[in-house]
Amino acid sequence: MIVSTTPTMADKTPRVVILISGRGSNMISIVNAVNEGSLPIKIAAVISNRPDAAGINFAQQAGIDTAIIDHKAFASREVFDQAMASKIDTYSPDLVILAGFMRILTTEFVEHYANRLINIHPALLPKFKGMDTHQRAIDAGETEHGASVHFVTAELDAGPVILQAKVPILSTDTAKTLAIRVLEQEHKLYPEAINKLVTNS
Ligand code: GRF
């Protein structure tokens, strides 16, 4: 009898930790893709910096490990980031996924997770880094807008883009209607971009 000691694919399933701050709809789309069998990752944990993040309840009910690390309990950004990294590292993640995580990260944190830290930004980077992207795209007279999944580097919203999704901007659009159209795309884009990364496709 031949007994194989080669690790199976299951042993190699990439482990991810997802960081959220709020409703967590992008995190939910990733969990759903995993449960549907279209995304071969293990979600090791969902961590929030806000105790009231609605997404945490969903993750708990989905049977995922969760943690809340309230940034307000820490004296500085550096100490908060160190606490986050210590917790994240207990899960040995291959990928750390920012999904509506609304904190600026220190360079030390970003460098610690170099090439394994990704974010989704609601704009077609390099256009409209930062906040209020939908209103700014309308005000600028853009005819299209969208979302980008990108690697996180020390400079805000400036890391290499992995995948983007585009939507048209309609003459009737407000920031609210445009945000809804972009978010629909985000929910497809994030699982697809993660899949591209973990399968090297
Ligand atoms: C999304 O629009 C995402 O692009 C941005 O923050 C929002 C988070 O939404 N980074 P949710 O918490 O995933 O619902």
CSV table of all heavy atoms in Angstrom, one decimal, residues 44 73 154 198:
chain,number,residue,atom,x,y,z
A,44,ALA,N,-10.3,32.7,8.7
A,44,ALA,CA,-9.9,32.3,10.1
A,44,ALA,C,-10.5,33.2,11.1
A,44,ALA,O,-10.8,32.8,12.2
A,44,ALA,CB,-8.4,32.4,10.2
A,73,ALA,N,-9.6,52.3,23.0
A,73,ALA,CA,-9.0,51.9,24.3
A,73,ALA,C,-7.5,52.0,24.3
A,73,ALA,O,-6.8,51.6,25.2
A,73,ALA,CB,-9.4,50.4,24.5
A,154,ALA,N,2.2,51.9,2.2
A,154,ALA,CA,2.1,53.0,3.2
A,154,ALA,C,1.4,54.2,2.8
A,154,ALA,O,0.8,54.9,3.6
A,154,ALA,CB,3.6,53.3,3.6
A,198,VAL,N,-5.4,34.1,-4.8
A,198,VAL,CA,-5.1,32.8,-4.2
A,198,VAL,C,-4.9,31.7,-5.2
A,198,VAL,O,-4.3,30.7,-4.9
A,198,VAL,CB,-6.1,32.4,-3.1
A,198,VAL,CG1,-6.2,33.4,-2.0
A,198,VAL,CG2,-7.5,32.1,-3.7
